Amino acid sequence: MTEQQLTEAAERLHEAVRTGRPCAPVRDLFAPGDVDGAYAVQRLNVARAQAAGARRVGRKIGLTSVAVQRQLGVDQPDFGTLFDSMAVGQDEPIAATRLLQPKIEAEVAFVLAVDLPDRPVTTLDVLRATEFVLPALEVVDSRVAAWDITIVDTVADNASSGLFVLGTRPVSPGAIDLPAAPMRLDRDGVEVSAGAGAACLGDPVNAVVWLANTAQRLGDPLRGGELVLSGALGPMVPVTPGARYAATIGGLGTVRATFGEEGQ
């Protein structure tokens, strides 16, 4: 990509945020499959947000579930940046005006105690570095109209990040069998999605290993204190205004999110 194309793609996505109106896909500005170029666009808007006062608190991994990959027509994971402004407390109403076209998914959150090593990262490295895990709800959102995205669109758009809600009971990652952990996501008490830890690249730990090595390759390795949302354990579902969502993950407990009515 040329500098002009990078800037144009970043500006198109930023304008969607500023105006609250989804934009056209940005893939017309990329060579086919130029994922590194898409991460360069992502970094431009991350830097813009940080310059405006946003504080980075971690990363999110997306597209780890085959079900979600099929929903969006992509075939590989991606990652984005989490900011402090994206965190929402349990049962804190989420205003519909904060999001453009939200969907929700349940996943395992990792909180890192120490930096990941500056070499190829292994499963053991991730387990040693993780202070605890929590159940999480990620509210994904796309600045691209109608979720008409390819891998480069979603990577450039900060991995379609939106908001996140964390459970409040920390658990050691070694205390549970994460691949076998069942997940159920309810909307107003009715199941709308289900899965298990194995849906996330076979094991949520595998997803964090992938992220650690990818972020290191791009020159921005994972650091102690960061939060990592490891990816969906089942299909994502569109958010219904006014609804209450609860995800239960075996061994981790339940995490809840509440949405305001449309227009509120």
Side-chain angles (χ1 to χ4, degrees):
M1 296 179 73
T2 66
E3 288 298 321
Q4 181 178 348
Q5 289 170 314
L6 286 171
T7 301
E8 184 177 344
E11 193 61 35
R12 188 182 298 179
L13 292 164
H14 176 69
E15 188 69 3
V17 175
R18 189 186 70 81
T19 63
R21 294 194 298 270
C23 64
V26 295
R27 57 184 174 267
D28 61 304
L29 300 168
F30 292 82
D34 184 8
V35 175
D36 284 352
Y39 278 116
V41 172
Q42 181 187 128
R43 288 193 293 272
L44 287 177
N45 279 333
V46 166
R48 188 199 303 255
Q50 290 175 310
R55 180 173 61 89
R56 188 171 83 173
V57 296
R59 326 288 176 96
K60 61 144 289 182
I61 311 171
L63 306 174
T64 56
S65 161
V66 172
V68 173
Q69 289 181 359
R70 287 173 178 163
Q71 284 179 299
L72 296 178
V74 300
D75 62 359
Q76 60 183 293
D78 68 350
F79 77 90
T81 294
L82 298 175
F83 295 113
D84 55 342
S85 58
M86 297 176 178
V88 179
Q90 287 199 95
D91 301 318
E92 175 187 341
I94 299 172
T97 52
R98 293 186 66 178
L99 301 156
L100 300 182
Q101 38 192 355
K103 301 175 187 286
I104 193 167
E105 57 192 32
E107 49 197 89
V108 178
F110 289 68
V111 177
L112 302 178
V114 297
D115 297 354
L116 270 297
D118 187 18
R119 55 166 172 71
V121 174
T122 67
T123 296
L124 185 58
D125 293 325
V126 168
L127 291 173
R128 283 174 170 166
T130 300
E131 185 172 4
F132 54 83
V133 292
L134 297 164
L137 285 167
E138 185 184 1
V139 185
V140 292
D141 200 10
S142 180
R143 271 52 66 178
V144 176
W147 282 86
D148 178 15
I149 61 174
T150 63
I151 186 65
V152 295
D153 295 296
T154 187
V155 168
D157 188 24
N158 198 24
S160 303
S161 59
L163 306 172
F164 63 89
V165 185
L166 300 177
T168 56
R169 187 172 65 88
V171 177
S172 167
I176 59 174
D177 183 349
L178 285 172
M183 181 280 293
R184 171 178 168 145
L185 175 62
D186 289 351
R187 180 179 59 226
D188 295 329
V190 178
E191 182 180 305
V192 290
S193 180
C200 181
L201 294 186
D203 184 331
V205 174
N206 293 342
V208 182
V209 171
W210 172 87
L211 170 64
N213 286 309
T214 303
Q216 185 181 107
R217 179 178 66 81
L218 294 172
D220 192 14
L222 294 180
R223 299 299 186 193
E226 287 200 72
L227 166 73
V228 176
L229 299 182
S230 60
L233 305 187
M236 61 183 181
V237 295
V239 167
T240 300
R244 292 171 60 88
Y245 292 83
T248 300
I249 300 174
L252 292 182
T254 299
V255 57
R256 302 177 304 277
T258 303
F259 291 85
E261 296 289 347
E262 193 165 6
Q264 297 180 350

